[in-house]
Amino acid sequence: MAARRRVEAGLPYPLGATWDGKGVNFALFSAHAEKVELCVFDARGRRELERIALPEYTDEVWHGYLADARPGMLYGYRVYGPYDPARGHRFNHHKLLLDPYAKALSGSLRWSDAHYGYRIGSHREDLSFDRRDNAGGMPKCVVVESAFTWGNDQRPSVPWTRTVFYEVHARGFTVAHPAVPHALRGTFAGLATSAVVGYLHDLGVTTLELLPVHAFIDDRRLVEQKLRNYWGYNSIGFFAPEPRYLLGDPNEFKTMVKHLHEAGIEVVLDVVYNHTAEGNHLGPTLSFKGIDNATYYRLAEDPRYYDDMTGTGNTLDVRHPRVLQLVTDSLRYWAEEMHVDGFRFDLAPALARENHGYARDAAFFKALAQDPVLSRVKLISEPWDVGLGGYQLGNFPPGWSEWNGKYRDTVRRFWRGDLGVLPELASRLAGSSDLFEHQGRRPRSSVNFVTVHDGFTLTDLVSYNHKHNEANHEGNRDGADDNLSWNCGAEGATGDDEIVTLRERQKRNYFATLLLSLGVPLILAGDEHGRTQRGNNNAYCQDNEISWVDWSALSPHDLALADFVKTLLRLRGGHPAFERDAFYRGAPIDASGRKDIAWIRPDGAEMENGDWGSDHRTIGFFLGARPMLFVAMNASPDDVTFTLPESHRRISWSLVLDTAIEGGVRRGVPVDAVVEYPMISRSLAVFAGSVR
C-alpha cells in the first residue's frame, strides 16, 4: 500500500465526501458502529491502496478530513461492529460498503457469494458469518467536483393547469433512435440531443418524468438469467446518477436538464426511497445493511427479519431522523444541485408509515411541507404500497398530486364496453372531486393516466386479453392478471383490417378521453406512435427491443396517431376549460343558465337520475367555458346518433375531431343543420360551439 495519509478530525457535517477546494471531508452516520475505515482505491478501482480509520465520532457521525484528497478519488467504507442478526445488527468489516451520500459511482457490481455478510449455503443461513473480501466486485464511490456552468438556466415552472407529464426511460427512449449519434444512445446525453428535445417540444408535452435514475443494481437472479433490472426500481445510492446512463461524466445529467429547460420542458424524477437493493435478511450487504442495519431499515418484531411494506424484502425506516434526513438531503440535492423540477415517489405510503400505519401527518410529510426548497417543487405520489391499508388514493396532504389508479381502471372499463361505469366515469372525467376535494385541494391533485411503464402499453391494451410475460423467465406468473384490456377480436398482431381499424380507433378514444379530462394527464412514452411490448405487462427486466421505443418503420397508422395526439395537446393547451384550477360544479356560469359542465344524453337533453343506470354505454359532456365544447362518447357495440345540445336555439357547432375518421382530425368542419350527428360504435367526437 501507499504511504499513509495524514487524516485530520474534519467535521460531522455535511454527510458524504465533500471537496472544499483544499481537501475532502468524509462523514458517515452510524449509531451502532464501533469503528469506520475509509478505503482508498487506485484510479481503476481494482487495488485498495489504503485503509484510514476515521478519527472522530460526533453525534453518531464518524468523520475525518484528508487534505491531500482530490475530486476523482475512489473510495468505500468498512464498518466494524457486532454481527448479531438476532438483535438487528449485521456489521461485517470484510465487506466494502458504498457511502449512502456518494455523488457518483465508478464501475458495476460483479456478483459473487462474497457480497453476502453470511456464508451462502450454510445451514445457519444469515446467522453464519462470511470473512471473504468483496471489494474486487464492488462499485467504488467517487469524490466529485460539483462546479457546473449553468449559465442563465431558467426553470420552466410550468403551472399545474398546463402540465402534461411524459413518462420516459432514460435508456429505452434513445437507444434505438436513428437521429441520436450511436455513442450517445441510451444515455442522458442522448436525451439532450436536439433531435430528442425537438421531438418532445413538437409533441407538446411539458414535463419529462424519468424512470429511476438513482444508482441501482441488477439483481443476482436476473444477471444469472441474462436479464437486467431495466426499470431501475432497485436503488443503492440516492445521490449518484446511474452509471449506465453516463458516458463518464456525472455532469451529463446536468447538461441534459439544461437543454430540456431551454426548450421549456421540466424534469421530474421517479424516486425510490421506500426500499433498497439489499433485499431481505438473506440479501447482500452492499451499503446500509453493513453501515447500520438496525437504524436504516424497519425491523420486524423479531429483529432478524424486516418489516416489508414494499414487496422487495425491506423498507427504509423513515421514522428515524437520520433516515428521514437522508431522504430529504437527497431530494434537496437533486432539486438544488441538479435543477430537477419535481419528484414522483414510488410506493409513497411506505414513507409515511408511522408506528401504527399510514399517517397523513407523518414526519415525512411535515419535513417536505416546511422545507423552503422541497415545498415548491412538484410532488407526486404513487399512492399505494403492499402493506396493510396500503391503498391511500385521495388521502395525501395538501400540496401533493397522486397517480389516479381509479381513473385508469374506470376509463379502461368504459372503452372495453363494461356496463355500470357511467357514474364513476363522470367523476373521473371531471377531476375526481369525490377523491380530492378537501382541504383546498384542486383538480391538479389527480394525475390521470391510462397506461404507464407498469402494465400494457396502449397498443397492447387494445391487442391482448392476456399478459405474455414468458421472456421474464417466471413462467408467466409475474405481472397483473386483470388488465381491463380488450384485444378487439384477436390476440396479438393480426392482418385483419377490421380489427386493426378498431384498434386504432380505440387508441384514439383513450387518448382523447385522457386529454379532455380535468386533472393532469400523463402519457407513456411511445404510446403516441404505437409502441408495443408484445403483450408483456411487466417488462421490468427487459433491456432489449421488448422495452425500447422503436423509432424505425413507423406505419401510416402510427404517424396518424402521433398527429392526432399533437392536435389534442394543442386543443387542451389552448382551451380555458382545461386551465381551470377548480372542480366543476355543474352550476350556471352566465345569465343564459349555461353550466360549467353538463352531462348530456344522446337525445341532447341533460341526463337525469334514471339515465345513469347500468345498461348505458354512451355519455356526452358539455363544457360551458368559451369556446364551448361538447364531447360525445359511444362505447357501445352499436351506432348511436347524438343530438347536439342547444343546437335549435343558441349554439352553432363545428366538428373538431371524430375518432371514427382515419387520423381522427377534422378541424372546423361545420355540422349539418339537422343538428344530429351519427356516431359509429366505439367512437368519440368533439365539437366546438359558438353563440349565434
Side-chain angles (χ1 to χ4, degrees):
M1 291 189 176
R4 295 191 63 82
R5 299 168 187 255
R6 177 171 169 268
V7 57
E8 301 171 15
L11 298 170
Y13 184 86
L15 293 169
T18 306
W19 161 248
D20 63 7
K22 297 180 180 179
V24 178
N25 189 80
F26 294 89
L28 179 74
F29 161 78
S30 179
H32 299 100
E34 297 168 354
K35 175 183 175 182
V36 173
E37 288 180 337
L38 173 69
C39 303
V40 180
F41 289 82
D42 68 4
R44 302 179 70 181
R46 295 181 178 178
R47 188 162 60 95
E48 189 172 347
L49 302 176
E50 189 175 1
R51 296 184 187 180
I52 304 166
L54 295 183
E56 296 293 334
Y57 184 55
T58 305
D59 297 333
E60 300 182 327
V61 175
W62 299 84
H63 54 96
Y65 183 86
L66 294 183
D68 58 349
R70 296 291 182 268
M73 188 180 89
L74 304 186
Y75 73 99
Y77 288 112
R78 297 183 188 275
V79 181
Y80 294 71
Y83 186 84
D84 189 356
R87 293 173 50 222
H89 298 308
R90 296 178 178 271
F91 294 100
N92 187 334
H93 64 275
H94 300 286
K95 311 305 170 185
L96 184 75
L97 304 174
L98 297 175
D99 180 357
Y101 278 73
K103 304 301 191 301
L105 298 183
S106 175
S108 58
L109 183 71
R110 297 192 301 278
W111 280 108
S112 73
D113 290 351
H115 290 304
Y116 297 81
Y118 63 96
R119 293 194 304 275
I120 294 289
S122 169
H123 71 280
R124 300 183 67 231
E125 294 187 317
D126 60 309
L127 298 180
S128 64
F129 187 74
D130 188 89
R131 290 176 169 80
R132 283 171 291 188
D133 191 330
N134 72 330
M138 281 291 290
K140 308 305 185 293
C141 305
V142 185
V143 176
V144 301
E145 164 63 82
S146 61
F148 180 77
T149 305
W150 282 103
N152 188 27
D153 179 49
Q154 297 293 323
R155 296 178 185 247
S157 299
V158 179
W160 276 104
T161 53
R162 298 186 65 86
T163 297
V164 178
F165 289 114
Y166 189 70
E167 192 189 38
V168 166
H169 188 281
R171 172 170 164 80
F173 195 70
T174 64
V175 69
H177 199 301
V180 174
H182 281 276
L184 306 185
R185 293 182 184 180
T187 68
F188 297 130
L191 282 176
T193 58
S194 58
V196 172
V197 175
Y199 175 84
L200 297 171
H201 184 269
D202 184 54
L203 180 61
V205 297
T206 70
T207 307
L208 214 60
E209 183 176 306
L210 290 175
L211 266 68
V213 300
H214 289 168
F216 61 90
I217 67 167
D218 296 316
D219 308 71
R220 188 174 189 179
R221 176 186 65 83
L222 295 179
V223 172
E224 290 172 349
Q225 294 178 342
K226 294 183 169 41
L227 298 171
R228 301 186 76 179
N229 192 323
Y230 174 69
W231 285 350
Y233 292 92
N234 210 22
S235 301
I236 197 59
F238 298 121
F239 293 79
E242 169 52 38
R244 73 189 71 184
Y245 304 147
L246 298 167
L247 296 175
D249 182 358
N251 282 337
E252 291 163 26
F253 182 90
K254 295 179 180 179
T255 301
M256 176 199 71
V257 171
K258 183 176 179 180
H259 283 290
L260 288 165
H261 280 180
E262 288 171 351
I265 298 171
E266 295 178 313
V267 177
V268 165
L269 300 187
D270 191 337
V271 289
V272 189
Y273 296 110
N274 56 79
H275 74 278
T276 78
E278 292 185 301
N280 63 13
H281 64 292
L282 298 177
T285 297
L286 306 172
S287 180
F288 310 91
K289 187 178 288 186
I291 293 171
D292 196 345
N293 182 73
T295 295
Y296 276 111
Y297 293 114
R298 294 180 70 111
L299 302 183
E301 187 174 347
D302 180 348
R304 176 184 174 187
Y305 303 103
Y306 295 96
D307 190 3
D308 181 11
M309 304 291 181
T310 65
T312 66
N314 66 60
T315 307
L316 277 178
D317 192 357
V318 184
R319 295 172 299 181
H320 192 283
R322 284 295 191 177
V323 183
L324 178 60
Q325 179 191 3
L326 170 76
V327 173
T328 53
D329 282 352
S330 169
L331 291 168
R332 204 176 298 108
Y333 174 78
W334 288 91
E336 292 188 305
E337 183 68 27
M338 310 294 256
H339 287 209
V340 161
D341 303 290
F343 305 93
R344 179 265 189 190
F345 293 82
D346 179 65
L347 302 182
L351 299 170
R353 287 187 174 274
E354 298 292 327
N355 292 335
H356 303 290
Y358 176 82
R360 295 182 73 253
D361 62 349
F364 170 70
F365 291 139
K366 292 176 181 177
L368 269 61
Q370 61 78 43
D371 190 285
V373 174
L374 301 179
S375 61
R376 294 182 295 182
V377 301
K378 285 183 163 73
L379 301 175
I380 307 104
S381 72
E382 180 184 44
W384 48 82
D385 65 14
V386 303
L388 183 65
Y391 197 74
Q392 293 294 333
L393 179 63
N395 199 27
F396 276 69
W400 282 78
S401 297
E402 306 176 35
W403 271 25
N404 192 342
K406 289 189 175 181
Y407 179 95
R408 170 200 61 205
D409 294 348
T410 304
V411 171
R412 286 187 178 191
R413 289 176 59 210
F414 176 75
W415 285 115
R416 189 173 68 169
D418 290 8
L419 294 170
V421 179
L422 293 190
E424 185 167 5
L425 177 70
S427 181
R428 302 297 155 250
L429 297 175
S432 296
S433 61
D434 58 321
L435 298 173
F436 300 112
E437 192 176 20
H438 55 82
Q439 295 182 283
R441 300 186 73 186
R442 301 285 182 156
R444 52 146 283 197
S445 301
S446 180
V447 175
N448 302 328
F449 63 96
V450 174
T451 56
V452 289
H453 68 277
D454 186 1
F456 281 148
T457 66
L458 185 61
T459 290
D460 291 354
L461 184 66
V462 301
S463 303
Y464 294 92
N465 285 347
H466 310 286
K467 65 185 182 184
H468 296 268
N469 298 355
E470 291 79 8
N472 296 355
H473 298 169
E474 298 181 45
N476 205 34
R477 293 183 300 273
D478 62 302
D481 291 312
D482 184 10
N483 298 279
L484 300 174
S485 61
W486 178 47
N487 65 18
C488 298
E491 189 74 356
T494 179
D496 187 309
D497 289 341
E498 287 190 14
I499 293 175
V500 170
T501 297
L502 176 57
R503 288 176 177 176
E504 292 302 316
R505 187 159 74 247
Q506 285 284 77
K507 286 190 274 187
R508 292 191 288 269
N509 290 336
Y510 279 119
F511 261 120
T513 304
L514 175 64
L515 295 176
L516 296 172
S517 297
L518 190 61
V520 184
L522 183 150
I523 297 171
L524 174 62
D527 270 356
E528 72 277 9
H529 54 66
R531 185 172 78 88
T532 177
Q533 293 179 169
R534 308 170 198 166
N536 191 321
N537 74 350
N538 190 35
Y540 75 100
C541 57
Q542 300 297 328
D543 187 4
N544 51 47
E545 290 84 356
I546 291 176
S547 295
W548 299 341
V549 175
D550 183 3
W551 299 92
S552 65
L554 297 179
S555 72
H557 287 310
D558 298 333
L559 297 173
L561 180 62
D563 284 340
F564 179 71
V565 173
K566 293 176 188 178
T567 297
L568 278 168
L569 285 169
R570 286 194 292 269
L571 171 63
R572 179 184 178 89
H575 200 284
F578 305 107
E579 292 185 359
R580 61 181 289 131
D581 194 26
F583 290 103
Y584 292 119
R585 301 293 182 190
I589 58 174
D590 58 28
S592 71
R594 190 170 298 117
K595 298 178 179 179
D596 55 5
I597 190 170
W599 302 100
I600 306 297
R601 301 185 312 218
D603 66 3
E606 195 165 347
M607 292 181 69
E608 300 176 350
N609 288 340
D611 299 319
W612 296 96
S614 62
D615 58 343
H616 297 298
R617 296 189 182 97
T618 56
I619 191 171
F621 61 95
F622 174 35
L623 302 179
R626 299 188 183 186
M628 294 166 282
L629 288 181
F630 175 58
V631 181
M633 306 169 69
N634 176 24
S636 75
D638 304 313
D639 297 348
V640 172
T641 296
F642 265 87
T643 298
L644 304 182
E646 300 191 33
S647 299
H648 293 291
R649 295 183 294 160
R650 300 187 296 272
I651 301 178
S652 296
W653 295 102
S654 61
L655 178 65
V656 176
L657 62 87
D658 184 345
T659 62
I661 301 171
E662 178 66 26
V665 180
R666 286 293 184 274
R667 300 182 185 87
V669 178
V671 175
D672 293 339
V674 295
V675 303
E676 291 185 341
Y677 190 79
M679 296 182 62
I680 69 169
S681 67
R682 299 186 173 91
S683 65
L684 178 151
V686 180
F687 306 86
S690 58
V691 178
R692 291 172 181 163

